Amino acid sequence: MAVVWQRHPRYSLFIFVVLASTFYLLGPYHAATPFLTSTMRGLPRGNDLPSRLARSDRIYNKLLLDRKGLIKKFGPAPKDIALFPPNVSPWPAYTVWDFFPAAYNCPHEIQRLGALGDGGKWVCGISRVEHKPDCVVYSVGINYESSFEAEILSNTQHCQIWGYDFTVNAFGPQITGAQKGRTHFQAYGLAGADHHGPDDKPKMYTLESLMKMNGHTHIDILKIDIERWEFETLTALIKPYLTSGRPLPFGQLQLEIHIWDMTFEQYLTWWEMLEAAGLRPFWTEPNLVYQNYNRHGSTDLAEYSFLNTKGSNIFIKDAPGADHAGHNHA
């Protein structure tokens, strides 16, 4: 090899120029990609929980600007949004989800708990409540399918689950043996107002009433699947907290959304109320069971998981005595 370099100095010079040019052109990409310089500049670089949350907030705030731009493009006002295909009343859901992506980065591990299909839910940081002695979970809408609740019980030591559904009389068969000792079931419904008089069948309670009945001031994980009543129920729940400035009484929310008979403007107003209360979506998936079963192939049901970014819940604040992995010591 040395002989080649000695006998052909022009060849050596050519190789040198090529290598130098290559390193020069690659230099900017090695130093910083365009994505990092335009999107990530100024983000906290630490790996502690406050830094991770700050990065997630910054990224989600950009999404809010992008949504405004998308509405202006297709509107220009929310009342003008006509989704594909046009001229379908009230409006189809084929593209609505494009306006509301789950763009918030969960600052912990994300894990699907429950069935790989209808019934399973995505949870942010189940490890945060693995050893939490006062872990409280509410599950509203059982439909005799409790794989989600069973996996929460399997992944935690102390979590107690309160379940509500007036269409069944117990949790599903997935909860067995000793797990049943950490569950509590009532055939009640969740609503925006109380209706539980002697003649009310089924009996309906607000979330605040159920919590008061159980002696709870906070819920770690709240799952709701109540066939479109989520709009009335969450509106009634959230508005008093927005008015008073108090944080919502739960750490995260797993919610199936049913956008039947709504306009885009109505849905946007409701969604922005969730955001104003501190709820940030970190995962979503369409309900493919419903989509394939429905003869029109409708996509107006979707599962969303939200993190509550306000207050001091266990998913956004380190508890005293927590180790670096975020586990609480009982």
Side-chain angles (χ1 to χ4, degrees):
M1 186 69 179
V3 175
V4 175
W5 286 93
Q6 293 171 0
R7 291 182 179 179
H8 302 282
R10 292 183 179 180
Y11 178 79
S12 304
L13 180 61
F14 173 76
I15 295 297
F16 174 80
V17 171
V18 170
L19 290 174
S21 300
T22 300
F23 286 128
Y24 175 80
L25 292 174
L26 290 178
Y29 293 94
H30 176 73
T33 65
F35 172 77
L36 289 176
T37 56
S38 63
T39 305
M40 305 297 288
R41 184 188 297 118
L43 291 183
R45 296 182 179 273
N47 198 39
D48 61 318
L49 182 54
S51 296
R52 298 198 302 272
L53 287 167
R55 286 195 293 269
S56 297
D57 289 337
R58 177 77 170 269
I59 292 169
Y60 196 79
N61 288 339
K62 180 182 180 299
L63 166 76
L64 298 179
L65 296 176
D66 292 342
R67 184 200 298 155
K68 290 181 179 179
L70 192 63
I71 291 173
K72 184 176 181 180
K73 176 181 177 180
F74 289 102
K79 65 181 178 60
D80 302 317
I81 296 292
L83 300 181
F84 177 83
N87 303 320
V88 178
S89 178
W91 58 283
Y94 298 110
T95 59
V96 61
W97 309 117
D98 292 344
F99 292 85
F100 308 100
Y104 196 82
N105 291 342
C106 162
H108 314 292
E109 81 286 352
I110 298 178
Q111 183 176 352
R112 184 183 177 87
L113 300 179
L116 291 176
D118 196 28
K121 309 292 179 183
W122 292 92
V123 175
C124 170
I126 190 66
S127 62
R128 301 288 287 185
V129 294
E130 181 180 353
H131 304 287
K132 189 171 185 283
D134 57 347
C135 171
V136 172
V137 177
Y138 276 36
S139 180
V140 185
I142 305 296
N143 196 26
Y144 214 54
E145 209 295 329
S146 298
S147 59
F148 170 69
E149 295 81 3
E151 283 214 44
I152 286 183
L153 294 171
S154 297
N155 281 274
T156 63
Q157 292 185 352
H158 307 290
C159 284
Q160 301 269 335
I161 300 181
W162 278 258
Y164 300 97
D165 190 331
F166 60 82
T167 68
V168 296
N169 56 16
F171 281 102
Q174 295 82 6
I175 297 177
T176 60
Q179 288 184 337
K180 292 183 178 180
R182 289 195 278 145
T183 63
H184 317 268
F185 178 86
Q186 290 287 348
Y188 299 155
L190 181 67
D194 288 323
H195 300 284
H196 48 78
D199 299 325
D200 289 319
K201 294 181 180 180
K203 296 186 183 301
M204 309 294 289
Y205 293 83
T206 65
L207 185 66
E208 183 179 30
S209 294
L210 291 175
M211 293 177 67
K212 185 177 181 180
M213 183 189 310
N214 298 324
H216 296 146
T217 59
H218 184 76
I219 300 168
D220 292 294
I221 297 173
L222 172 62
K223 186 210 85 174
I224 296 179
D225 182 358
I226 51 177
E227 307 303 314
R228 202 187 179 280
W229 288 102
E230 63 269 12
F231 295 102
E232 174 190 324
T233 299
L234 288 177
T235 299
L237 167 67
I238 289 175
K239 281 191 173 181
Y241 285 90
L242 285 176
T243 301
S244 65
R246 295 174 295 152
L248 294 172
F250 49 85
Q252 63 181 281
L253 170 67
Q254 281 68 38
L255 178 69
E256 182 166 64
I257 300 177
H258 312 71
I259 48 173
W260 300 323
D261 301 317
M262 296 186 75
T263 66
F264 177 82
E265 187 175 24
Q266 289 171 333
Y267 185 78
L268 175 66
T269 298
W270 179 80
W271 182 275
E272 289 180 336
M273 177 192 67
L274 304 186
E275 291 176 326
L279 295 179
R280 296 290 182 267
F282 64 84
W283 199 276
T284 185
E285 63 181 29
N287 186 319
L288 295 179
V289 173
Y290 174 83
Q291 180 177 343
N292 291 317
Y293 179 77
N294 188 296
R295 62 189 180 93
H296 300 295
S298 178
T299 58
D300 47 5
L301 270 66
E303 303 275 358
Y304 272 87
S305 294
F306 297 85
L307 185 67
N308 180 9
T309 61
K310 291 188 177 181
S312 58
N313 68 73
I314 190 64
F315 303 106
I316 63 171
K317 299 289 184 181
D318 285 322
D323 63 25
H324 291 94
H327 299 270
N328 292 332
H329 298 291

